[in-house]
Amino acid sequence: MNTKEKLKRYHDWLFKCSAYQMALNIIDIDKQTVAPSAGAAYRDERSAYLAGELFSLETDEEIVDLLKNLKDDPEVEADDRRAIELYYKKALDTVCIPKEEFVAFKKLCDESFDAWILAKSKADYSIFEPYLKRVIESQKKLYGYRSSDKSIYNQMLDDFEPGMDEEKYDAFFNALKERLVPLIGKVTNAKQIREDFLHQKFPIEDQKKFMDELLKYLHFDSSWGYQNESEHPFTSWTCENDCRTTTKYIESNVTSAILSTVHEVGHAYYEHNINPKYDGMILSEGVSSGMHESQSRLCENYLGRTLAFWKYNYTKLQSYFPKQLGDISLEDFYKAINISKPSFVRTEADELTYPLHVLIRYEIEKGLFNGTISTEGLDKTWNAKYKEYLGIDVPNDKLGILQDVHWSDGSFGYFPTYAMGTAFAAQYVHAMKKELDVDSLLENNKFNEVMDWLKKNIHTYGFRYEAPELMKMVTGEEFNVNYFLDYIEEKYTKLYQL
Amino acid sequence: MNTKEKLKRYHDWLFKCSAYQMALNIIDIDKQTVAPSAGAAYRDERSAYLAGELFSLETDEEIVDLLKNLKDDPEVEADDRRAIELYYKKALDTVCIPKEEFVAFKKLCDESFDAWILAKSKADYSIFEPYLKRVIESQKKLYGYRSSDKSIYNQMLDDFEPGMDEEKYDAFFNALKERLVPLIGKVTNAKQIREDFLHQKFPIEDQKKFMDELLKYLHFDSSWGYQNESEHPFTSWTCENDCRTTTKYIESNVTSAILSTVHEVGHAYYEHNINPKYDGMILSEGVSSGMHESQSRLCENYLGRTLAFWKYNYTKLQSYFPKQLGDISLEDFYKAINISKPSFVRTEADELTYPLHVLIRYEIEKGLFNGTISTEGLDKTWNAKYKEYLGIDVPNDKLGILQDVHWSDGSFGYFPTYAMGTAFAAQYVHAMKKELDVDSLLENNKFNEVMDWLKKNIHTYGFRYEAPELMKMVTGEEFNVNYFLDYIEEKYTKLYQL
């Protein structure tokens, strides 16, 4: 075969993989949003089979050889070569796993998700514990097949954020703690901000009406995007023109669904804006989890929590909740949605305490994989860490260990990327503000123009470059955690008049 | 291989097929309900590929041989043998088709559906016509590969309702016309019933609230069933515990979504109640389209349009629409939802004129396949037939030729089963009423007990028996159209005091 023939083979293979991947994504979206629970066992068994078919495609010996060969072929153009290198790396990590174990793990993850849903609805960790235990054991076994000299948890960290490991994350979290902990202390001792009005009864029906307006403001166009509801908000997609997000409404918390929507729409824009020539291949995925979270957290915090954002949207929100918010000024509303206070739920946490929520998960994950923490009694370990870091007593497992979906499907190593992404975002915003008057755009219903900047500078590249490379391209510098720390210090100093 | 080994092979094959079928069903449900339109091309190409993979499985030579061999193996127990016979028959009809043509047809059907959605939204048949033409040409070509001495349309009729052909349907429709046309004439000349109050403004939001109550009354349990919205209501499923229905709300018609929901929930119950041991195999599908429609039409008309049904539900409906229905008595509401009047849309038609809507489609289908009717100008042919049979002038293509989804994916031969199923239902209800006090159950919130009777006598068998066999098992007689004609004559004579 000459290069052209080889590339034809490669592109045929890519197309087949993308078909299975699409089916699995749609089945998963369906599962997490609307699929009737009693049919789960039937569906889970079959989607595991289909995942196995994709596994067979991805680990086909001839294909692995082809990838190995093509990645060093000088006739292959740069985009393809980059994708081929990534596929080859992925293949090496996968080909070592026995197929039946891979399929069994996929099935276990689906069952574990079902158990998590049930456990959360009953606020009972003991329902989920046996599944979590098996998921961890299986992950240890599957990662054990790789020929790597890194620890299993370091491999996991690297999978979600290439180049990262415990040592680097420890340094990162230490840098955060060093400046955040004293700041949190100051805020605790400062004059407190009123936010009781955010926790009145906000009928979900009216929240949904406001959401329709908000989605318009976000230019989240129904031709390429769709929002549903799920127990844990997420974003998924099949191609640039098919990006799905979900949200979750809470009657006693008017901003939860709003900010989670802005967050998820941030993920959706990233996928939507990737160069369509990458559709169906690995380059159409965001660079890394940290990069993905940088875009969602950027939207949630650096746009969605600003005064400018609410200058446009607040009167609309008031119009749906005149009794609850009619007497509350924009200024007071803005302050309230930024109040910093230790809380139970990560996805609803303020920007200042948020990294501590992530740190707790990171420490638990490290312990689960180095053997110092066990799934048995993990609810108590969780609660103890919340007491230690945030000084609060977790009242039940639903607000505690069962709040997040990630561990149910074995996504260990993902959590740290939330904090990392949040810090990436600060540096990107700093660069963006040199070129754009972001506040003016937000105030004037031009959210899309902010997205256009992100598209041009970040999104369009998809997975074409690694995260550090992209950071340098966009901001002219290496990643520097101080952009985040300066931002947060300035914001909270001003807010609490410290 | 001995029989046991062959059966193992067969069951492994069945499982694989069911996995692909499940994926295709979920992708299709997603497409028709929530998938963003701009992603259609990407998805359609890939679901056609997956349909091709299923095609390859179903037409695998070794499997066809295995099926041929097993169907005559006396050691195979009766249920398996029945399924194997059906699979073998299906394989013979499929194996003759070149795979690439099958895949191209699947893709064409998806594109044609997209074109139909667009055309309907613009009430413009010319957008849909080129697709319809290609779908018909492709169907002719694909059916042409079969070695059958029947005409193509007769093969299609037989596919949806085994044993039926044009001659039998002609006789059936003639029998209907003979007694319905004079009856319609009498109704036209009788004192008209008031129904203007059904066509006020009924906010969709409030319709949805009533729907939640109605679904509870129908015992449509969210653990095994789910309702969504779509342009054309439908029911789909992956297994007995995963049955999805859709509905469509119309602001100026309060009963449209209600009756279409009762109809679709009838389909869903059929699938839900099939013996779970048939899950994942052909026996888990209803016997035929006519049998399926018999169950949906039974629910819609013989239950949903009765006074007893509304004795329980009407005050609830009034409570959501006090302004619109507060002054309307139950009796007047009941009469209004049963009024017979020529109308444009089949799914909203009354029981008396409904068969004429079906007859029009049947006559057009015959013409499309015997060459006397062309897709060009078919909108005019359609309108002329509505003028001829129902005496009305179709105002636009949305209310005319574009109203139904069926032709977009090549389901020619399906329509007649709506009329046939409606007539089946009358005979089943006649048998059921010998054993059950249906009215009393409906009045007393025991819809589920009516479903239990259908489960025990009809649903549980799935595709275990052919439709005529089942009819005899349940009612002790061959199918007799007079059960339907007697019912309808009695109902409308009383309603209009003829």
Side-chain angles (χ1 to χ4, degrees):
Chain A
M1 278 196 288
N2 60 29
T3 303
K4 207 178 151 194
E5 287 160 346
K6 283 181 202 164
L7 280 171
K8 164 87 178 60
R9 235 350 287 265
Y10 161 71
H11 284 291
D12 285 350
W13 170 80
L14 257 192
F15 172 76
K16 289 179 191 175
C17 292
S18 74
Y20 283 96
Q21 195 57 63
M22 177 193 85
L24 291 167
N25 284 4
I26 292 178
I27 292 167
D28 185 59
I29 293 166
D30 179 81
K31 179 183 177 71
Q32 291 200 51
T33 55
V34 297
S37 57
Y42 181 93
R43 291 188 307 265
D44 293 350
E45 205 179 350
R46 282 155 184 83
S47 50
Y49 166 76
L50 294 169
E53 292 304 286
L54 177 56
F55 177 94
S56 293
L57 270 174
E58 288 179 340
T59 56
D60 178 83
E61 266 182 48
E62 264 184 59
I63 285 293
V64 179
D65 277 350
L66 184 79
L67 294 171
K68 187 178 178 183
N69 189 292
L70 278 173
K71 81 183 171 58
D72 300 320
D73 187 331
E75 285 180 48
V76 177
E77 59 92 28
D79 277 357
D80 269 341
R81 195 152 62 236
R82 163 74 174 159
I84 288 163
E85 276 166 14
L86 291 167
Y87 281 119
Y88 183 64
K89 180 175 179 293
K90 193 178 168 197
L92 291 188
D93 285 342
T94 319
V95 77
C96 53
I97 301 171
K99 181 178 174 180
E100 62 279 12
E101 288 188 36
F102 176 86
V103 172
F105 181 66
K106 159 76 178 146
K107 189 159 162 269
L108 171 62
C109 287
D110 276 336
E111 289 166 355
S112 168
F113 173 86
D114 300 332
W116 169 73
I117 287 277
L118 181 69
K120 190 172 176 185
S121 74
K122 298 188 184 246
D124 182 356
Y125 171 65
S126 74
I127 295 170
F128 178 52
E129 192 273 335
Y131 290 90
L132 180 60
K133 189 174 182 173
R134 282 174 57 206
V135 166
I136 293 170
E137 280 165 4
S138 299
Q139 279 287 50
K140 285 181 180 168
K141 196 163 173 213
L142 296 186
Y143 272 84
Y145 288 117
R146 295 192 190 176
S147 63
S148 170
D149 45 14
K150 293 185 202 168
S151 75
I152 284 175
Y153 191 54
N154 271 338
Q155 292 178 59
M156 292 175 147
L157 291 171
D158 186 80
D159 278 356
F160 286 112
E161 196 61 33
M164 289 302 289
D165 58 22
E166 280 190 45
E167 201 183 325
K168 290 179 187 165
Y169 270 122
D170 285 346
F172 169 69
F173 280 109
N174 282 335
L176 293 186
K177 275 197 287 189
E178 204 177 311
R179 285 174 65 183
L180 293 187
V181 172
L183 184 58
I184 292 171
K186 283 189 207 167
V187 165
T188 309
N189 295 323
K191 182 169 178 275
Q192 291 308 294
I193 292 168
R194 197 190 146 197
E195 54 115 31
D196 55 320
F197 51 82
L198 294 182
H199 300 285
Q200 302 170 77
K201 197 175 160 186
F202 292 88
I204 285 171
E205 200 179 299
D206 297 319
Q207 290 194 43
K208 287 184 181 177
K209 284 183 196 158
F210 173 74
M211 191 60 82
D212 286 341
E213 302 245 22
L214 183 69
L215 292 172
K216 269 182 218 139
Y217 173 79
L218 300 174
H219 292 67
F220 186 61
D221 186 325
S222 67
S223 75
W224 63 269
Y226 178 77
Q227 187 182 56
N228 212 322
E229 292 172 59
S230 65
E231 179 54 39
H232 195 102
F234 69 94
T235 302
S236 187
W237 54 87
T238 68
C239 64
E240 48 127 10
N241 277 320
D242 179 2
C243 304
R244 325 282 182 96
T245 68
T246 66
T247 194
K248 194 188 169 185
Y249 293 96
I250 302 174
E251 198 180 52
S252 61
N253 185 336
V254 70
T255 52
S256 176
I258 291 171
L259 290 170
S260 101
T261 293
V262 184
H263 177 102
E264 298 303 335
V265 166
H267 283 303
Y269 263 108
Y270 195 169
E271 291 303 321
H272 176 57
N273 285 339
I274 290 174
N275 193 326
K277 74 176 172 176
Y278 298 150
D279 258 1
M281 64 164 109
I282 203 164
L283 300 186
S284 77
E285 292 165 28
V287 176
S288 64
S289 300
M291 273 303 302
H292 236 300
E293 293 304 334
S294 80
Q295 300 310 295
S296 54
R297 297 283 291 166
L298 190 158
C299 288
E300 176 188 354
N301 294 334
Y302 301 83
L303 307 178
R305 287 187 200 261
T306 62
L307 191 61
F309 185 96
W310 287 102
K311 271 190 186 159
Y312 186 87
N313 289 297
Y314 187 55
T315 47
K316 275 198 197 133
L317 185 68
Q318 282 179 309
S319 75
Y320 290 103
F321 302 107
K323 269 199 296 187
Q324 297 92 329
L325 299 174
D327 294 337
I328 307 298
S329 72
L330 168 65
E331 197 65 37
D332 285 343
F333 177 80
Y334 163 74
K335 282 185 188 165
I337 65 168
N338 282 292
I339 175 191
S340 176
K341 186 166 93 168
S343 62
F344 303 115
V345 178
R346 175 187 61 83
T347 55
E348 292 158 27
D350 61 87
E351 291 175 84
L352 182 53
T353 60
Y354 185 91
L356 298 183
H357 290 260
V358 176
L359 177 61
I360 289 169
R361 288 151 180 80
Y362 172 60
E363 289 189 354
I364 290 176
E365 288 187 347
K366 285 200 286 186
L368 286 169
F369 283 88
N370 69 22
T372 58
I373 292 179
S374 153
T375 56
E376 282 139 46
L378 188 57
D379 46 344
K380 294 186 182 58
T381 310
W382 178 284
N383 297 351
K385 290 211 175 271
Y386 266 78
K387 186 75 183 173
E388 179 191 346
Y389 281 106
L390 291 155
I392 53 178
D393 293 302
V394 175
N396 61 53
D397 293 343
K398 188 172 178 171
L399 292 172
I401 188 169
L402 295 174
Q403 67 182 265
D404 284 311
V405 67
H406 308 63
W407 290 344
S408 76
D409 71 354
S411 297
F412 302 98
Y414 191 108
F415 280 121
T417 71
Y418 283 112
M420 187 57 100
T422 304
F424 285 169
Q427 192 165 337
Y428 284 131
V429 170
H430 188 267
M432 180 164 70
K433 287 194 166 172
K434 288 181 192 162
E435 295 180 26
L436 283 192
D437 184 348
V438 175
D439 283 350
S440 160
L441 293 173
L442 292 179
E443 271 174 49
N444 290 291
N445 195 19
K446 289 179 178 165
F447 188 87
N448 55 320
E449 294 188 22
V450 185
M451 292 304 107
D452 288 346
W453 190 93
L454 294 172
K455 175 178 182 171
K456 189 179 139 225
N457 290 282
I458 299 173
H459 299 169
T460 188
Y461 300 114
F463 202 173
R464 183 64 184 79
Y465 306 101
E466 295 289 331
E469 220 175 337
L470 196 59
M471 179 61 81
K472 214 160 173 187
M473 281 167 61
V474 181
T475 70
E477 295 175 67
E478 312 267 322
F479 167 60
N480 179 347
V481 70
N482 289 318
Y483 281 105
F484 171 66
L485 292 167
D486 291 347
Y487 155 80
I488 206 96
E489 232 166 49
E490 191 190 328
K491 175 165 183 172
Y492 280 91
T493 301
K494 196 174 161 198
L495 200 70
Y496 281 87
Q497 301 174 303
L498 301 177
Chain B
M1 280 196 287
N2 62 28
T3 303
K4 206 178 152 194
E5 287 160 346
K6 285 181 201 163
L7 280 172
K8 166 88 176 60
R9 203 54 246 274
Y10 161 71
H11 284 290
D12 286 349
W13 170 79
L14 257 193
F15 173 76
K16 289 179 191 174
C17 292
S18 74
Y20 283 95
Q21 195 58 64
M22 178 194 84
L24 291 166
N25 284 3
I26 292 178
I27 292 167
D28 185 59
I29 294 166
D30 178 80
K31 178 183 177 69
Q32 291 201 49
T33 54
V34 298
S37 57
Y42 182 93
R43 290 189 307 265
D44 293 349
E45 204 179 351
R46 281 154 185 84
S47 49
Y49 166 76
L50 294 169
E53 291 305 287
L54 177 57
F55 178 94
S56 294
L57 271 174
E58 287 179 341
T59 56
D60 179 84
E61 266 181 48
E62 263 184 63
I63 285 294
V64 180
D65 278 350
L66 185 79
L67 294 171
K68 187 179 179 183
N69 187 293
L70 277 174
K71 82 182 171 59
D72 301 321
D73 187 330
E75 285 180 51
V76 177
E77 59 91 27
D79 277 359
D80 269 340
R81 195 152 63 234
R82 163 74 175 161
I84 289 163
E85 276 166 14
L86 291 168
Y87 281 118
Y88 183 63
K89 180 175 178 293
K90 194 178 169 196
L92 291 189
D93 286 342
T94 318
V95 75
C96 52
I97 301 171
K99 181 178 174 181
E100 62 280 13
E101 289 189 35
F102 176 87
V103 172
F105 181 66
K106 160 76 177 147
K107 188 159 163 270
L108 171 62
C109 287
D110 276 336
E111 289 166 356
S112 168
F113 173 87
D114 300 331
W116 169 74
I117 288 277
L118 181 68
K120 190 172 177 185
S121 76
K122 298 186 183 253
D124 182 357
Y125 172 65
S126 74
I127 295 170
F128 179 52
E129 193 273 337
Y131 290 90
L132 180 61
K133 190 175 182 173
R134 282 174 58 207
V135 166
I136 292 171
E137 280 164 4
S138 299
Q139 278 288 50
K140 284 180 181 169
K141 196 164 174 213
L142 296 185
Y143 271 85
Y145 288 118
R146 293 193 191 176
S147 63
S148 169
D149 46 14
K150 291 185 204 169
S151 74
I152 284 174
Y153 190 54
N154 272 338
Q155 291 177 58
M156 291 174 147
L157 291 172
D158 185 79
D159 276 358
F160 285 112
E161 195 62 33
M164 289 303 288
D165 58 23
E166 280 191 45
E167 200 183 327
K168 290 178 187 166
Y169 271 122
D170 285 346
F172 169 68
F173 280 109
N174 282 336
L176 293 186
K177 275 199 285 188
E178 204 178 311
R179 285 173 65 183
L180 293 187
V181 172
L183 185 57
I184 292 170
K186 282 190 207 167
V187 165
T188 310
N189 295 321
K191 183 167 178 277
Q192 293 306 295
I193 292 167
R194 197 189 148 199
E195 53 116 31
D196 55 319
F197 51 81
L198 293 182
H199 299 286
Q200 302 171 75
K201 197 174 159 188
F202 292 89
I204 286 172
E205 200 179 298
D206 297 318
Q207 289 194 43
K208 288 185 181 176
K209 285 182 197 159
F210 173 74
M211 191 61 82
D212 286 342
E213 303 245 20
L214 183 70
L215 292 172
K216 270 181 218 141
Y217 172 79
L218 299 174
H219 292 69
F220 187 61
D221 185 326
S222 67
S223 75
W224 63 268
Y226 178 75
Q227 187 180 55
N228 211 321
E229 291 173 60
S230 65
E231 179 55 39
H232 195 104
F234 69 93
T235 301
S236 186
W237 55 87
T238 69
C239 64
E240 49 125 12
N241 278 321
D242 179 1
C243 303
R244 324 281 182 98
T245 67
T246 67
T247 193
K248 193 189 170 186
Y249 293 96
I250 302 175
E251 197 180 52
S252 61
N253 186 335
V254 70
T255 52
S256 177
I258 291 171
L259 290 170
S260 101
T261 293
V262 183
H263 177 102
E264 299 302 335
V265 166
H267 283 304
Y269 263 107
Y270 195 169
E271 291 303 322
H272 175 56
N273 285 340
I274 290 173
N275 193 327
K277 74 176 172 177
Y278 299 151
D279 258 1
M281 64 163 108
I282 202 164
L283 300 187
S284 76
E285 293 166 27
V287 176
S288 63
S289 301
M291 274 303 302
H292 236 300
E293 293 304 333
S294 81
Q295 300 309 295
S296 54
R297 297 282 292 166
L298 190 158
C299 288
E300 176 188 353
N301 294 333
Y302 301 84
L303 307 177
R305 288 188 200 260
T306 62
L307 191 61
F309 185 96
W310 287 102
K311 272 190 185 159
Y312 188 85
N313 289 298
Y314 187 56
T315 47
K316 275 196 198 134
L317 185 67
Q318 282 179 308
S319 74
Y320 290 103
F321 302 107
K323 269 199 295 188
Q324 297 93 327
L325 298 175
D327 294 338
I328 308 299
S329 72
L330 168 65
E331 196 66 36
D332 285 343
F333 177 79
Y334 163 73
K335 282 185 188 166
I337 64 168
N338 282 292
I339 174 193
S340 175
K341 186 166 94 169
S343 62
F344 302 115
V345 178
R346 176 187 62 83
T347 54
E348 293 160 24
D350 61 86
E351 289 175 85
L352 183 52
T353 60
Y354 185 90
L356 298 183
H357 290 261
V358 176
L359 177 61
I360 288 169
R361 288 152 179 79
Y362 172 59
E363 289 189 355
I364 291 175
E365 289 187 345
K366 284 201 287 186
L368 287 169
F369 283 88
N370 68 24
T372 59
I373 292 179
S374 154
T375 56
E376 283 140 43
L378 188 57
D379 47 345
K380 293 184 182 61
T381 309
W382 178 283
N383 296 352
K385 289 210 176 271
Y386 265 78
K387 186 74 181 173
E388 179 192 348
Y389 281 106
L390 291 156
I392 53 178
D393 293 303
V394 175
N396 61 54
D397 293 344
K398 188 172 179 172
L399 293 172
I401 188 169
L402 294 174
Q403 67 181 265
D404 284 311
V405 66
H406 307 63
W407 291 343
S408 76
D409 71 353
S411 295
F412 301 98
Y414 191 107
F415 280 122
T417 71
Y418 282 112
M420 187 58 100
T422 305
F424 286 170
Q427 192 165 338
Y428 284 131
V429 170
H430 188 266
M432 180 164 69
K433 286 194 168 173
K434 287 182 192 162
E435 295 179 27
L436 283 192
D437 185 347
V438 175
D439 283 351
S440 159
L441 294 172
L442 293 179
E443 272 174 50
N444 291 291
N445 195 18
K446 288 178 178 165
F447 188 87
N448 56 320
E449 293 189 22
V450 185
M451 292 303 107
D452 287 345
W453 190 93
L454 293 172
K455 175 178 183 172
K456 190 178 138 225
N457 290 281
I458 299 173
H459 299 169
T460 188
Y461 299 114
F463 203 171
R464 183 65 184 78
Y465 305 100
E466 296 288 331
E469 218 175 337
L470 196 58
M471 179 60 82
K472 213 158 173 189
M473 282 167 62
V474 181
T475 71
E477 293 175 69
E478 312 268 323
F479 166 60
N480 181 347
V481 72
N482 289 316
Y483 282 106
F484 170 65
L485 292 167
D486 292 346
Y487 155 81
I488 206 99
E489 234 166 47
E490 192 191 325
K491 176 165 182 172
Y492 280 91
T493 301
K494 198 174 159 197
L495 201 70
Y496 281 86
Q497 300 175 304
L498 301 177

